[in-house]
Amino acid sequence: MQDRNEWVMIGASAMALDKENNRCPDAILKRDRLKPERQTKPAEAGTTNKEKDGMSLPRALEGIRVVDFSWVRAGPWATRWLGALGAEIIKIEWPENERGRLPSSTTPQDVEVNLNTSGNFNDTNVNKRSLSLNVRTPQGLDIVKRLIAISDVVIENFSSRVLRNWGLGYEEQCKVKPDIVYVSMSGYGHTGRNHHYTTFGPVAQAVSGLTFISGLPDKPPAGWGWSYMDDTGGMYGAMCVLTGLYHRNMTGQGQHIDQAQMIASIPLTGPALLDFTVNGRASRRDGFPPGNRAHWPGTPLVNNYRGPTVAPHNTYRTHPGDYNDWCVIVCHADVEWQRLVQVMGQPAWATSPKFATLAGRLEHQEEMDEGIETWSMTLDKYELTERCQAAGVRALPVQSSEDRVEHDPQLRHRQMYLEMEHPALGVRKIQNAPFKLSATPAVNHLPSPLIGQHTREIVEGLLGFSHEELLAGYVDGTFWPTTRARYAYMEEMLR
């Protein structure tokens, strides 16, 4: 049984882009340069009618090609949204080291576990095509350089030395495409004494200080649940790409944008840093962090910089009292408290003068919370939300994944989760872009690829290799490990 204060509400917004002031030598190009001809356009299969309506309009990144070396979460999250904006994403992958595809607990229970059925991978990698390629061979390196030569962006989220060790550092990329926009998303960046360190989201947020300021007072830090800095880092990565493309379009110059996942976490701790440097207050102290509350009862009443110090400000159990039956209620002013009293039916305890002012509600917060929860337990979280919102009281349900995907009417109206048909997983709901563009809609237009699904399409159709050269690449291990069995769709493409 959870305490209501364990549902931690966190809100922060900041961004840090750790860019090295670096650009290709002799890469001063004409602004009106000719773009490479797009020889192959992805087939827009597996989409719904609603999505097709959006695809009848031009997309913001139409005509931009991205060579995507990213893996696991942060990098693929960036390219997922670039794809939704219309960019052509070509995912370079190899079955021996693609951790994101490895069999996992996210494969639906009624589906065979293999490299193509990870639920997490298949949500993270929609809007992309897959080229299976061993870049560590001379043939593979030559092929990927040919691809970079006709592309606009290269993106990866390896540690700082990986692409350089492959012979694909920024200087090498410039030799084949002088105005390339190269976005690296390593843990610690490509410079400094720790540039070779490896990280992932929870590690980055821990070392940045984010984890330390989470949770309840007098308890160990709680962390931020899901791998926050992977998803946030992915959004930063997409911003880096857009910034680089804008700069290139204005100047004709490409550049290396060096994003560091850990350093991107630092600005999110800005209020805590200011509180320490200006007020001399530590990030964990008596009554802080206060969990869901704006102020922890029985501790010094100070401004904790997380927002107004108000009460009520908590999460309350709702009917029928199961694991996920909770609702958040916040009153920012006395008039909002009076509205809540009316919604609750003016119970005798709530009309007591000791609750009439903010000072009184803060002083008697425990008693007030118990009274509110006695009422909230009589309603389910959605009915409670509707009644409060109708009266002008800030209240919203705590939602599970099922609640959001299947039951939220606002998300349904915004088309946040729409069905796509995947060749291995069947018809599944996939999350759409959380923003709406009126003139250039951002929509999912391709289900996530089977590994190597588009190898022939890219190698022959885009790069101009012959079918015999494709066959030879499968024989010598360029396009698929010689010791690993091929999937049926690969055998079909080789006929």
Side-chain angles (χ1 to χ4, degrees):
M1 186 76 68
Q2 294 89 2
D3 185 273
R4 57 175 163 264
N5 297 297
E6 292 178 356
W7 292 95
V8 180
M9 299 185 295
I10 298 173
S13 63
M15 181 179 74
L17 304 179
D18 179 30
K19 301 181 182 178
E20 186 176 356
N21 186 15
N22 191 7
R23 66 189 187 193
C24 291
D26 303 321
I28 310 301
L29 306 178
K30 294 181 180 179
R31 182 176 301 181
D32 298 324
R33 77 203 193 302
L34 292 175
K35 290 186 178 180
E37 181 182 356
R38 303 309 192 206
Q39 299 180 39
T40 304
K41 185 175 182 179
E44 294 173 337
T47 55
T48 66
N49 287 333
K50 290 181 180 179
E51 289 172 304
K52 288 176 181 176
D53 291 342
M55 288 188 295
S56 64
L57 297 171
R59 285 173 284 169
L61 295 183
E62 196 85 41
I64 296 297
R65 180 176 293 131
V66 178
V67 178
D68 179 11
F69 289 100
S70 66
W71 66 331
V72 190
R73 185 68 179 186
W77 200 240
T79 52
R80 182 196 207 279
W81 302 115
L82 298 175
L85 290 168
E88 177 188 1
I89 312 297
I90 298 179
K91 184 173 181 63
I92 311 296
E93 50 185 339
W94 191 242
E96 305 300 330
N97 55 12
E98 176 45 274
R99 279 174 41 206
R101 282 191 181 271
L102 293 179
S104 72
S105 59
T106 64
T107 296
Q109 295 181 356
D110 58 341
V111 176
E112 175 190 351
V113 176
N114 59 45
L115 292 174
N116 291 319
T117 57
S118 164
N120 182 53
F121 178 92
N122 285 296
D123 175 68
T124 307
N125 289 280
V126 295
N127 308 317
K128 306 175 187 180
R129 295 189 291 163
S130 172
L131 167 62
S132 59
L133 184 67
N134 188 351
V135 182
R136 300 180 188 182
T137 65
Q139 298 93 329
L141 185 61
D142 175 66
I143 289 170
V144 83
K145 284 183 177 180
R146 294 193 191 193
L147 185 57
I148 291 172
I150 57 171
S151 298
D152 303 280
V153 177
V154 171
I155 187 169
E156 49 91 3
N157 62 320
F158 300 122
S159 61
S160 62
R161 295 180 292 194
V162 172
L163 252 65
R164 186 175 297 276
N165 289 343
W166 289 356
L168 283 173
Y170 179 54
E171 295 79 8
E172 290 299 317
Q173 294 177 37
C174 287
K175 292 177 182 178
V176 297
K177 186 66 185 298
D179 66 342
I180 196 71
V181 174
Y182 169 41
V183 175
S184 57
M185 301 172 58
S186 60
Y188 270 72
H190 280 214
T191 61
R193 66 182 295 273
N194 297 333
H195 72 89
H196 60 285
Y197 280 13
T198 58
T199 69
F200 68 111
V203 173
Q205 71 189 38
V207 74
S208 72
L210 284 173
T211 299
F212 190 66
I213 60 177
S214 68
L216 301 173
D218 302 321
K219 300 289 185 183
W224 286 31
W226 169 247
S227 189
Y228 182 77
M229 284 314 302
D230 277 331
D231 282 19
T232 306
M235 289 296 191
Y236 293 167
M239 295 177 199
C240 287
V241 170
L242 297 177
T243 301
L245 288 173
Y246 179 81
H247 172 262
R248 188 201 65 178
N249 290 345
M250 295 299 292
T251 68
Q253 303 170 23
Q255 62 178 306
H256 174 197
I257 304 178
D258 178 12
Q259 179 193 331
Q261 185 182 46
M262 186 279 284
I263 299 172
S265 313
I266 297 295
L268 298 176
T269 65
L273 178 62
L274 285 172
D275 199 20
F276 177 74
T277 56
V278 176
N279 301 320
R281 299 192 300 187
S283 299
R284 296 192 71 87
R285 55 184 183 268
D286 189 21
F288 191 84
N292 287 325
R293 287 170 155 141
H295 170 67
W296 193 259
T299 62
L301 185 59
V302 295
N303 186 340
N304 280 320
Y305 67 74
R306 289 181 17 155
T309 302
V310 298
H313 187 295
N314 213 337
T315 307
Y316 302 92
R317 192 175 288 280
T318 59
H319 181 78
D322 292 335
Y323 177 81
N324 198 49
D325 294 317
W326 301 85
C327 191
V328 173
I329 300 174
V330 174
C331 293
H332 276 196
D334 291 343
V335 65
E336 292 181 18
W337 164 250
Q338 294 301 326
R339 293 171 189 163
L340 178 60
V341 171
Q342 294 293 323
V343 172
M344 292 191 295
Q346 294 185 295
W349 70 266
T351 59
S352 170
K354 65 184 177 184
F355 297 116
T357 65
L358 172 60
R361 292 193 297 277
L362 288 169
E363 181 181 354
H364 303 285
Q365 195 171 181
E366 299 264 36
E367 181 183 351
M368 178 194 63
D369 280 345
E370 290 175 4
I372 292 174
E373 190 161 275
T374 298
W375 165 74
S376 67
M377 281 292 293
T378 67
L379 301 169
D380 74 56
K381 58 189 178 185
Y382 295 107
E383 183 179 357
L384 186 151
T385 295
E386 291 294 334
R387 291 191 184 187
C388 285
Q389 289 287 344
V393 176
R394 305 162 204 265
L396 285 172
V398 175
Q399 296 202 117
S400 67
S401 297
E402 180 182 356
D403 290 334
R404 295 192 304 273
V405 175
E406 302 295 344
H407 307 308
D408 190 305
Q410 181 66 10
L411 293 180
R412 186 179 306 116
H413 173 79
R414 299 279 295 181
Q415 300 179 9
M416 187 61 189
Y417 300 99
L418 294 179
E419 290 182 342
M420 296 193 81
E421 184 171 3
H422 186 271
L425 295 177
V427 177
R428 306 281 175 174
K429 288 185 178 179
I430 299 293
Q431 56 185 314
N432 243 325
F435 44 82
K436 298 291 185 181
L437 283 70
S438 61
T440 55
V443 295
N444 295 329
H445 58 97
L446 283 173
S448 62
L450 306 175
I451 189 166
Q453 179 182 357
H454 305 96
T455 299
R456 180 177 182 179
E457 179 182 322
I458 295 164
V459 172
E460 294 184 19
L462 184 61
L463 298 178
F465 285 82
S466 68
H467 189 60
E468 290 70 26
E469 288 172 310
L470 177 74
L471 294 174
Y474 273 92
V475 171
D476 65 23
T478 299
F479 298 123
W480 194 253
T482 57
T483 57
R484 181 185 281 266
R486 295 195 288 255
Y487 288 95
Y489 60 88
M490 294 179 178
E491 298 295 350
E492 181 68 25
M493 81 169 67
L494 295 179
R495 292 179 182 174

